[in-house]
Amino acid sequence: MQIKQTKSQFVAVASIAAELSAVMEVAKEISLAAANAKAIAFRAGEKAKGFQPITDFINELAKDTIGLVNNINDYAFLLYRLTVNEQRLAEACGRFEQVERLARGARYAESLAGPLQQARQKAQAGRREFTIHVAELLVKLAEVMHPARAARVIAANSRIEASQAGEYLQSLQAVAESVDNAAQIINDKVHRCRSALTVINLAD
Amino acid sequence: MKMTKIYEGSHQWVMFGRDPHRPEKIIDTNQYMVRTADRCLLMDPGGIELFAPMLAAVLHHAPVEEITDLFASHQDPDIISSLGLWDQALPNAKLHAAQLWEGFLRHFGCEAIEYLPIPDHGGTINLGSVELQIVPAHYLHSSANFHIYDPQAKILMSGDVGAALEAPGAPVFVDNFEAHIEKMRYFHQRWMPSNQAKRAWLERVRKLDVQILAPQHGRMFKGDDVRRFLDWFEALQVGIAV
């Protein structure tokens, strides 16, 4: 395990955490947009009858996204912990090898063989665990894409329903736009998370 | 890494320092080891950069599994930033360090090594054939600071007290006290914050029979130079930056 590799891993894991934090913010915005749309649809009454169930659905999607991101955040934190552990073990292996060279001829030089072997084994086990969690995180990220895709479909339906809402047309269209934009942002950010993880896997 | 045996009796004291491979901008440090028949205590084992030469030097005296105890006089990086590496090398060892610094020192990595918190009033480290005293030296310079006194060897490991900024390769013992003063004056005036703390430490240490005063930087003092140092330190005003 190269120390340089764990450094790029730190950057990748940190960037995932940053992207997830942004996804969370956007999901909260969607939730707010849903509440706003519900109020408008209520005021619009019969003119926006078709819009009312959509607002509930938008809100559910936002909640699903927030729940999934919370769950993924736990994974991202675990990956960070594993990266710290890996960095420490990589550092230890490198330093122990240095000790081996410097202690050549020392009476008890051989006694370092055990700790060095253990550090190498722990580093390999840590790498395996990391790889497993990366694969699991990729699956979880794919799950976040589902509500984001559904939100885009809902946004398209919302536009159609908004066109029936008379003087509320512009307000409801703005809601549809906002949901569509948010879904697109989530999609992009999750895609970036997946790319960052792929970079880690490629570096393996 | 230079190794100097400074006591040989029922146990040994070895001083490690003057590492010729030390990176230029890193302050030179002295590490100390107490070696009994089957155990080994490393005092202020050093920073990360020093880990490899330090452990390589220790392996001339003891196998890894007999390095059972570490002591950190305080929390500075030159004292103990190597902790995370010792943690990988010595999974069954114990670290004796201030209770006050536990949450801070664990940032260096301390999962396998057992952290034995030292209360403010000090304590002892029992290595089987020898019991060492942990002497409080708070605010000299760290707010929770300890020194180690060995009543059999009559050695006081005095952390930053007695330290001097030296040229590379300086001798390990003070050979001309008057000439040595200027090498340690600024260090003590600037790093030591409290005259009150200094007086409390002096009162405590003057009750001990100290033949060798062993600081973490610079040269050790032996014989009459120990008393000379205590007198000089007593007269020195410290905490000059305010």
Side-chain angles (χ1 to χ4, degrees):
Chain A
M1 181 62 188
Q2 302 284 312
I3 287 173
K4 193 177 162 191
Q5 183 181 326
T6 53
K7 279 181 183 165
S8 63
Q9 206 167 292
F10 270 120
V11 173
V13 172
S15 69
I16 289 166
E19 299 291 356
L20 287 175
S21 166
V23 167
M24 189 68 102
E25 288 306 311
V26 173
K28 284 176 186 167
E29 280 170 25
I30 294 180
S31 186
L32 198 63
N36 193 27
K38 201 176 177 75
I40 297 168
F42 183 75
R43 282 203 301 277
E46 278 299 308
K47 290 175 187 168
K49 199 177 172 188
F51 207 93
Q52 284 176 6
I54 291 176
T55 60
D56 291 337
F57 201 48
I58 296 170
N59 196 32
E60 283 303 310
L61 282 177
K63 276 187 188 166
D64 286 351
T65 306
I66 290 169
L68 284 166
V69 170
N70 270 331
N71 183 245
I72 290 172
N73 262 330
D74 291 344
Y75 268 86
F77 182 69
L78 180 63
L79 284 187
Y80 175 74
R81 295 285 312 154
L82 289 170
T83 304
V84 169
N85 189 41
E86 203 166 335
Q87 195 274 336
R88 282 186 172 153
L89 285 162
E91 174 90 25
C93 288
R95 300 282 178 175
F96 289 180
E97 282 160 10
Q98 203 183 344
V99 176
E100 258 190 342
R101 288 193 296 277
L102 292 171
R104 216 161 273 157
R107 189 174 169 192
Y108 300 106
E110 291 298 316
S111 68
L112 187 68
L116 176 55
Q117 195 190 357
Q118 279 167 16
R120 282 176 178 152
Q121 283 170 349
K122 280 199 271 182
Q124 283 168 359
R127 178 102 294 249
R128 280 197 296 276
E129 197 182 349
F130 185 85
T131 308
I132 289 166
H133 285 295
V134 166
E136 286 174 356
L137 184 52
L138 281 166
V139 171
K140 296 273 175 196
L141 285 168
E143 287 174 18
V144 180
M145 303 285 252
H146 297 154
R149 282 197 201 102
R152 298 209 74 188
V153 174
I154 289 167
N157 287 338
S158 302
R159 281 195 198 94
I160 296 165
E161 292 297 334
S163 66
Q164 314 292 318
E167 71 266 36
Y168 295 99
L169 169 75
Q170 280 192 328
S171 305
L172 291 175
Q173 267 187 342
V175 169
E177 279 304 311
S178 142
V179 170
D180 197 22
N181 285 339
Q184 183 61 49
I185 292 169
I186 289 176
N187 195 66
D188 291 349
K189 291 199 174 295
V190 171
H191 186 71
R192 278 206 283 272
C193 284
R194 289 172 64 86
S195 299
L197 284 175
T198 311
V199 167
I200 296 173
N201 271 344
L202 286 174
D204 189 12
Chain B
M1 179 82 71
K2 188 170 181 172
M3 299 177 268
T4 309
K5 197 176 283 183
I6 57 175
Y7 176 76
E8 176 85 64
S10 65
H11 58 283
Q12 299 171 341
W13 272 73
V14 181
M15 176 254 199
F16 303 90
R18 312 294 189 266
D19 178 25
H21 306 296
R22 172 177 57 88
E24 194 187 344
K25 291 189 175 175
I26 286 179
I27 189 168
D28 190 30
T29 51
N30 303 332
Q31 293 70 235
Y32 296 93
M33 178 181 82
V34 171
R35 175 78 170 120
T36 68
D38 57 359
R39 289 179 66 179
C40 196
L41 164 72
L42 302 181
M43 286 167 274
D44 288 357
I48 287 176
E49 290 298 331
L50 209 76
F51 172 81
M54 175 61 189
L55 178 54
V58 171
L59 291 179
H60 285 270
H61 301 271
V64 169
E65 64 273 15
E66 289 183 16
I67 307 171
T68 53
D69 297 79
L70 301 176
F71 165 76
S73 63
H74 59 291
Q75 84 293 0
D76 276 353
D78 63 322
I79 300 288
I80 190 69
S81 66
S82 57
L83 179 59
L85 294 166
W86 293 108
D87 195 55
Q88 298 294 342
L90 317 173
N92 302 314
K94 297 174 193 329
L95 170 68
H96 306 262
Q99 194 167 26
L100 197 73
W101 291 125
E102 179 169 357
F104 296 72
L105 284 173
R106 285 189 181 276
H107 276 277
F108 290 133
C110 182
E111 288 175 11
I113 286 179
E114 185 184 358
Y115 192 108
L116 294 181
I118 306 171
D120 275 354
H121 58 82
T124 57
I125 298 175
N126 194 323
L127 295 177
S129 58
V130 60
E131 186 169 85
L132 305 168
Q133 297 171 12
I134 303 173
V135 180
H138 305 313
Y139 302 106
L140 295 176
H141 67 91
S142 168
S143 41
N145 211 123
F146 295 98
H147 296 161
I148 294 290
Y149 178 64
D150 178 346
Q152 285 183 45
K154 297 181 171 51
I155 297 173
L156 178 68
M157 199 290 269
S158 60
D160 281 317
V161 176
L165 300 172
E166 292 272 10
V172 296
F173 278 105
V174 171
D175 46 13
N176 180 337
F177 186 81
E178 290 305 317
H180 191 64
I181 284 175
E182 288 314 310
K183 292 174 187 161
M184 53 183 183
R185 184 189 301 279
Y186 180 73
F187 188 97
H188 288 79
Q189 286 183 321
R190 185 64 184 84
W191 262 277
M192 304 296 161
S194 162
N195 288 302
Q196 187 187 346
K198 180 194 72 173
R199 282 192 293 273
W201 179 84
L202 281 161
E203 192 181 339
R204 198 171 284 128
V205 168
R206 283 195 192 279
K207 290 176 187 160
L208 306 173
D209 181 2
V210 180
Q211 291 301 308
I212 294 177
L213 187 113
Q216 196 233 344
H217 306 283
R219 305 183 198 196
M220 293 175 282
F221 303 80
K222 65 179 171 185
D224 287 343
D225 281 338
V226 175
R227 183 190 46 76
R228 287 189 190 101
F229 170 75
L230 297 179
D231 292 345
W232 171 82
F233 191 36
E234 188 158 28
L236 188 74
Q237 287 298 303
V238 299
I240 60 165
V242 289

